[in-house]
Structure formats: C-alpha cells, structure tokens
Amino acid sequence: MSTTGIDIRPLDTLEAIVAGAQLFDDVWVGDRATMPANILRALEHAGNYVVGLYDGDRMIGASAAFFGPPADRTMHSHITGILPGYQGRGLGRQLKAHQREWALERGIGRITWTFDPLIRRNAHFNLAVLGASATEYLVNQYGEMPDDVNRGDESDRLMVSWAVAEPPAPTPADEAVRAVVEIPDDVEALRRTDPTSAAEWRYRVREELRGHLASGLRIGGVDARGYLLV
C-alpha cells in the first residue's frame, strides 16, 4: 500500500526484524531495548502484525500489534515509531488504514492501543480523526520509561478501541458535553524545561479524568483547542 510515496511491508526476515528493532531505539532515544528483535521475531512468526514503513529501500518507520483474546476478535497495536524527519506527513493515517485492512482480512473487529492523554496531537488524531473510543484510564501503565520522550514522567495512558467495520465515533455535540479537561500545549517540551509543571499537569489531568469516569461519564472526543471532552 502506498498513498504518500511510502510503502508498508511485512518484516518477515531476520534482517528486517533487526532493522525494525533498531529503528524503535532510534525513535525512542535513550531506551536501548524499546522492542527487542527477538520479541518482534516471535510476534511475526506467530502471525501477528509486524511491518515496516519504507521510503524506497530505507526503513523510516515500524509498527507491531498482536492479537487479543480469541473471543474478543481484537488486535492490540502496541508500538509505532516514525523517524523524526518523516513525522507530521500523514503516515500515521496511512498506517492505521493499513492496519484496518489487515485486521478486516483476518476477521478482527476492533483494534486497541494506548496513548498519553497529555499529548494533544495524539488525542486529536485518535479521537477526532480516527473516531476511536476511549475506554479506560491507566495509571502509570508501563512504569518508569527511560527514553527521552517519557523520562521523568509517569506513564499514564488512555486505552482506546477502534471499531474497524463501523463508522467513526462522532465528536459529541455541545449540549452533550458535561466537562472539558484542559491539557498542556506541549507537554514534551515542558518535561525538558519545567519537569515540576509537567508533573503537576499529569496529576491534575489524572484526577479530573478518573473522577469523571468514576461518575459514569466517558471521554467523548476533543474540541478545536485539543482539550478533552467528557
């Protein structure tokens, strides 16, 4: 599949697997075991989704997902990395379209994944562009992460579920919104320049979202500013 000059291909040789593992380490600088080659190889050999994104012969991205419980007919997209020079070019949308086709061919009805609720662009892409549904708030899901992107912060995540054979979940109408949860403009920069403020944002958003979810509300989307709608 190629809609932007980038090809998506299965990583089905040991050489390609090793290159994919190295790419993840290059994206998440500081973590030398982001997704070890032996784990990627095992996932691919067992029939899971392990692909590379190529610009010609150069791998510029990679993604790995694995099947969920058989009765649920789900696939969990665990990791996707794109080299910095290729980010912001629509490759995330191209990859999700590829994942969707791959899943449908195998009778999978939903794809799940997690994202950091403090990162606005990810919230917008996952909830507004794809129309995935946020299903769970996970506190410090992966523990301490040593890479340059996440270092010094707790790894809270939102779990989302994407029904690949259904229309995208719509953004709620204004009259249906019960609360708006503000998130920072650029938490990644804030972690580097003011880690104390970044931590305060983490705890504030965690408390607000968990409180809303505990009261029976759900995260319905994002507004034009990138704030979360409940």
Side-chain angles (χ1 to χ4, degrees):
M1 175 180 180
S2 177
T3 59
T4 61
I6 304 299
D7 294 322
I8 300 177
R9 311 170 196 164
L11 302 184
D12 53 7
T13 68
L14 181 58
E15 180 183 25
I17 288 288
V18 170
Q22 181 59 56
L23 183 136
F24 287 135
D25 287 347
D26 292 342
V27 171
W28 281 275
V29 177
D31 188 349
R32 307 322 304 169
T34 310
M35 191 67 173
N38 63 328
I39 301 298
L40 275 182
R41 183 64 160 171
L43 289 174
E44 181 275 328
H45 188 70
N48 292 283
Y49 183 87
V50 181
V51 303
L53 292 83
Y54 289 85
D55 185 358
D57 293 329
R58 183 191 183 199
M59 186 186 299
I60 55 87
S63 183
F66 44 83
F67 297 115
D72 292 348
R73 295 175 54 244
T74 63
M75 179 172 79
H76 185 73
S77 183
H78 175 61
I79 187 169
T80 296
I82 306 291
L83 292 177
Y86 288 84
Q87 294 171 7
R89 290 174 44 176
L91 298 184
R93 185 179 295 206
Q94 182 179 347
L95 178 69
K96 283 303 181 189
H98 185 273
Q99 278 191 349
R100 180 181 182 275
E101 292 177 9
W102 193 94
L104 287 171
E105 289 172 358
R106 289 157 180 79
I108 295 168
R110 290 183 178 273
I111 302 175
T112 63
W113 63 90
T114 64
F115 75 93
D116 186 341
L118 294 188
I119 299 180
R120 283 192 189 181
R121 66 179 183 278
N122 289 350
H124 174 77
F125 177 70
N126 293 322
L127 302 178
V129 175
L130 295 178
S133 299
T135 59
E136 188 177 5
Y137 190 98
L138 304 169
V139 176
N140 202 23
Q141 171 72 352
Y142 304 113
E144 181 180 353
M145 302 178 75
D147 62 272
D148 286 359
V149 174
N150 296 286
R151 185 181 293 112
D153 194 5
E154 296 188 24
S155 57
D156 288 20
R157 297 292 184 266
L158 276 181
M159 175 75 81
V160 296
S161 178
W162 188 33
V164 295
E166 300 175 13
T171 299
D174 290 346
E175 59 270 19
V177 175
R178 296 293 176 264
V180 175
V181 177
E182 182 180 359
I183 54 179
D185 181 57
D186 187 349
V187 72
E188 293 161 300
L190 200 59
R191 287 175 187 143
R192 296 189 295 269
T193 61
D194 191 348
T196 299
S197 291
E200 290 173 352
W201 273 107
R202 173 68 70 200
Y203 301 141
R204 183 184 309 127
V205 172
R206 176 193 293 174
E207 181 179 359
E208 290 184 27
L209 287 180
R210 294 187 76 202
H212 291 316
L213 293 173
S215 67
L217 300 177
R218 69 178 187 87
I219 301 163
V222 296
D223 66 13
R225 300 165 297 179
Y227 295 178
L228 297 170
L229 304 176
V230 182

